[in-house]
Amino acid sequence: MISLNSSTFLNSSSSSLSRISKVPSLQLQRRGLIIVKANAARDKNGSVLVQQQQPEKELKEELKEREGVSVIHMAAVGGGVQDVYGEDSATEDQLVTPWALSVASGYTLLRDPHHNKGLAFTDKERDAHYLRDVGTNNQKLLEDEFYIGLKQRRATGQEYAELIDEFMTAVKQNYGEKVLIQFEDFANHNAFDLLARYGPTHLVFNDDIQGTASVVLAGLISALRVVGGTLADHRFLFLGAGEAGTGIAELIALEISKQTGEPLEETRKNIWLVDSKGLIVSSRMESLQHFKKPWAHEHEPVSTLIDAVNAIKPTVLIGSSGVGQTFTQEVVEAMASFNERPVILSLSNPTSQSECTAEQAYTWSKGQAIFASGSPFDPIEYDGKVFVPGQANNAYIFPGFGLGLIISGAIRVHDDMLLAACKQVSSSSALFMLTSALQNIPVYLNLAGVVAALGVIKCAEALANQVANESYEKGLIYPPFSNIRKISANIAASVAAKVYELGLATRLPRPDDLVKYAESCMYSPAYRGYR
């Protein structure tokens, strides 16, 4: 899987192409020595990636005549699109024993305490060894005489689009349809455009938009077991209309549409968003960014969050603003005044940017709130009762989601795969509650006496409901992280099953047991034993 970061392009696997900086054309041959100049593809450590089979003596003589050259063995590239993982080239006879020579540069050089010179690198050395990781839009840094980055603003517009397009084209040519690319930390105006542009042609995923949306929807489905009703019965108000907020809102609307059969345009009407200028309403349509326009409903202008809460009277309040302490006491008390169990999700992190703390949510709501956050909070005791805040962490989703795409050989990401992932998280939460209940069944039966098999089942169901309700009352709308590997394996299986169902899988035939297959493909961080 390749992860695309807003400032660098990093390859999370151990092989081949990982970074491209304006390469006029990327040609990777199947055999022989390749000389790659200073602007060629590099791995996450800054080393140029090429395949070579020329003897060392001849290679060194060749290198003497050239500048800015690095060479490393890369068998995986050999087969190109038709040989993505190098299975074919790995079986070919080799004329010489493969060997590798790497010139330290980039990240590798900076991490080497023997050779890193810090600020002592000259401008020529910085250019030669790729020490420039790309410029800045911070005017204060640009004017700082000690700023060691490129003193230029970051690429935008056509130049930016061409660079991204060149990378996306090259990575697909060299790894094929199954290479998974994750966009991470891109600005809103770029994140949505890139996802929309490359979604139909590449296997791409944006964790900020799609991962966050999936984990929040999973929490909401779990919370319904406490507050009752269906998603369609609730009103949602968001503080924050960026990629996280609009991504969550869209996935909620999509799930409601699938449940009710209503058009997506209709299911969006119970979902309202507040940005820095107030409630997003139709009178603001002309000035809105394109990704906010679907959420501009008919309503008079409202400028503050508390006024929006009182006007909309939401049952669910979701914060994705990145601004701390915006869920004030007045806001939380208002939510509790017209909801028996208000759902309050304070998703911004770190803790200093959380819209409110767990203690504030429980205290100001007098223990009524169902609360979850993006940052971890300790259990809170209020009025003699212990509440355990849930954490809406993307780690519930993206590892299992990515694994599901990979083990099925998916070629595209579909919204139904995201829904499958979030439902699996919710199911894992319910399963955890059920398991906790079943562990207490012998005690219950000792009290109840020996009963018939049917009675045992009914007792188990009753006790499971009781324990589950007690757990949900404490705020446990997410399963514990101690089960994350099992959860991820089940998410991977659910996502893979949906990939096969949609006909987007290339790894055939389908494994009989997707959970076991997913587990067999997971990395186990354990040392081997020695005799």
Side-chain angles (χ1 to χ4, degrees), residues 175-191:
Y175 297 106
E177 293 283 347
K178 295 184 290 184
V179 61
L180 173 58
I181 303 170
Q182 177 186 316
F183 296 108
E184 182 78 21
D185 291 338
F186 280 74
N188 289 336
H189 61 283
N190 290 325

Side-chain angles (χ1 to χ4, degrees), residues 155-342:
T156 59
Q158 185 65 23
E159 183 182 12
Y160 178 89
E162 289 176 357
L163 175 62
I164 296 292
D165 196 56
E166 184 171 357
F167 173 87
M168 298 299 288
T169 300
V171 78
K172 187 174 177 180
Q173 285 178 344
N174 285 285
Y175 297 106
E177 293 283 347
K178 295 184 290 184
V179 61
L180 173 58
I181 303 170
Q182 177 186 316
F183 296 108
E184 182 78 21
D185 291 338
F186 280 74
N188 289 336
H189 61 283
N190 290 325
F192 288 99
D193 289 344
L194 292 175
L195 196 59
R197 179 174 182 179
Y198 294 108
T201 60
H202 292 69
L203 183 65
V204 294
F205 174 68
N206 187 305
D207 186 49
D208 299 313
I209 298 174
Q210 298 165 299
T212 301
S214 297
V215 76
V216 172
L217 179 56
L220 292 175
I221 293 173
S222 292
L224 291 178
R225 298 186 177 98
V226 179
V227 300
T230 65
L231 288 173
D233 299 324
H234 290 269
R235 291 183 303 282
F236 303 86
L237 179 63
F238 286 78
L239 177 62
E243 55 189 290
T246 54
I248 298 166
E250 187 69 7
L251 197 62
I252 292 172
L254 179 63
E255 176 62 10
I256 295 175
S257 176
K258 289 185 175 295
Q259 290 180 1
T260 63
E262 293 185 2
L264 197 58
E265 293 75 13
E266 287 298 314
T267 61
R268 289 179 178 140
K269 291 182 178 179
N270 264 355
I271 304 174
W272 299 79
L273 280 70
V274 173
D275 64 7
S276 60
K277 295 181 175 60
L279 190 66
I280 295 179
V281 293
S282 55
S283 61
R284 295 178 53 193
M285 185 67 77
E286 293 302 317
S287 63
L288 292 174
Q289 294 166 287
H290 67 88
F291 55 86
K292 295 182 181 180
K293 291 184 177 181
W295 313 103
H297 307 318
E298 288 292 334
H299 198 283
E300 63 272 13
V302 176
S303 59
T304 66
L305 176 61
I306 183 58
D307 289 339
V309 168
N310 287 323
I312 304 300
K313 290 182 168 50
T315 56
V316 179
L317 179 63
I318 300 175
S320 60
S321 63
V323 181
Q325 296 299 297
T326 44
F327 288 176
T328 62
Q329 183 171 353
E330 189 179 11
V331 167
V332 175
E333 287 178 347
M335 287 291 295
S337 69
F338 45 76
N339 290 298
E340 182 179 352
R341 299 304 306 272

Side-chain angles (χ1 to χ4, degrees), residues 493-505:
S494 295
V495 171
K498 184 59 67 174
V499 175
Y500 282 105
E501 179 185 325
L502 295 172
L504 296 174

Side-chain angles (χ1 to χ4, degrees), residues 73-91:
H73 182 72
M74 187 181 68
V77 174
V81 174
Q82 297 301 320
D83 185 26
V84 178
Y85 301 108
E87 295 97 335
D88 295 341
S89 59
T91 61

